[in-house]
Amino acid sequence: MLLCIDCGNTNTVFSVWNGEEFAATWRIATDHRRTADEYFVWLSTLMTLRGLVLPITDTIISSTVPRVVFNLRVLCNRYFDCRPLVVGKPECALPVAPRVDQGTTVGPDRLVNTVAGFDRHGGDLIVVDFGTATTFDVIDTDGAYIGGVIAPGVNLSLEALHMAAAALPHVDVTRPQAAIGTNTVACIQSGVFWGYIGLVEGIVRQIRIERDRPMRVIATGGLAPLFDQGFDLFDAVDDDLTMHGLVLIHRFNQEGGHAQ
């Protein structure tokens, strides 16, 4: 079985791929202090509860938090007796190399979303990922990542507002009943919700102008469904896009692929 690990700034997701489907998926808060032993105790307990008795034979990691990678590598080496494939490292090949400014390092999560987005939805694509940051990844006709946009994430914006303005409470993001709030909480929720609707619409519109062609828009990330409530923002919402990309990249490297 293949263990896919997607480490983001806020959460780390572990998914077990049995060759046909994801047998199980678990989420844990990202913490660079967590040791390989702690990961294994947590993960092995959950695998036992799900009745997953087949051994992990391969692992692949995508991490936007460099300090976490070491302990994840130790986890794979010590407990699964395998060397993990790490997206973004020279030994991890991609089906199509990104086309960006020389010397630019592209986030592993963006590379993985590009591979998965192209496989499922084709080229001329914009992938909007609602994570700690809200990212827009632009995919060319041949599946190459050619750049994008990074904006503050929804929850990050709420936290910053709460921290910077002592009188404003911390609120959960949700779709407000009306744009005009009649209390403080409703005002904040309206500002964040409608603000991000406008942000997505504006950035997508500008990308389409610059590309001068139709561009499909795919959303992923935990908050994607929130912004897909009757609006014509996305052509599709793809919940497991990142994990699908990790499976594809692992398969590509197992087959000895070389980037185009």
Side-chain angles (χ1 to χ4, degrees), residues 42-218:
W42 171 80
L43 186 60
S44 61
T45 300
L46 292 174
M47 291 180 68
T48 300
L49 289 173
R50 290 295 297 269
L52 297 177
V53 295
L54 295 177
I56 299 296
T57 57
D58 296 276
T59 54
I60 182 169
I61 300 170
S62 169
S63 177
T64 59
V65 187
R67 288 199 293 176
V68 173
V69 175
F70 174 79
N71 283 326
L72 291 175
R73 282 184 180 272
V74 174
L75 167 72
C76 299
N77 289 326
R78 179 181 298 166
Y79 289 105
F80 302 128
D81 194 28
C82 63
R83 180 189 176 107
L85 189 65
V86 181
V87 179
K89 298 299 182 182
E91 64 271 15
C92 180
L94 299 172
V96 183
R99 292 194 287 271
V100 293
D101 293 343
Q102 187 174 3
T104 298
T105 300
V106 181
D109 54 334
R110 310 184 80 175
L111 297 173
V112 173
N113 285 346
T114 294
V115 173
F118 181 71
D119 179 72
R120 284 184 168 173
H121 307 283
D124 287 331
L125 192 70
I126 304 169
V127 176
V128 185
D129 189 347
F130 291 92
T132 304
T134 300
T135 59
F136 297 72
D137 302 324
V138 183
I139 303 171
D140 209 347
T141 53
D142 63 348
Y145 171 86
I146 57 172
V149 176
I150 301 175
V154 177
N155 287 315
L156 186 63
S157 296
L158 281 169
E159 186 66 28
L161 188 63
H162 172 62
M163 295 292 291
L168 296 181
H170 188 280
V171 303
D172 293 328
V173 59
T174 187
R175 179 177 179 175
Q177 295 182 346
I180 302 173
T182 54
N183 57 69
T184 302
V185 170
C187 289
I188 295 174
Q189 289 175 335
S190 181
V192 171
F193 181 83
W194 293 110
Y196 273 85
I197 292 290
L199 180 143
V200 172
E201 288 178 332
I203 291 177
V204 167
R205 180 172 59 250
Q206 189 60 34
I207 290 174
R208 284 171 170 160
I209 290 172
E210 293 182 9
R211 294 289 292 160
D212 193 25
R213 67 186 67 185
M215 302 284 291
R216 300 188 71 215
V217 182
I218 307 301

Side-chain angles (χ1 to χ4, degrees), residues 240-258:
D240 67 342
L241 191 70
T242 303
M243 288 300 167
H244 178 63
L246 287 173
V247 171
L248 292 175
I249 292 173
H250 177 266
R251 183 184 302 157
F252 182 75
N253 281 268
Q254 289 291 98
E255 295 171 350
H258 299 281

Side-chain angles (χ1 to χ4, degrees), residues 10-12 27-31 34 39:
T10 304
N11 292 309
T12 300
R27 185 180 300 266
I28 192 172
T30 299
D31 185 350
R34 186 171 287 114
Y39 277 121

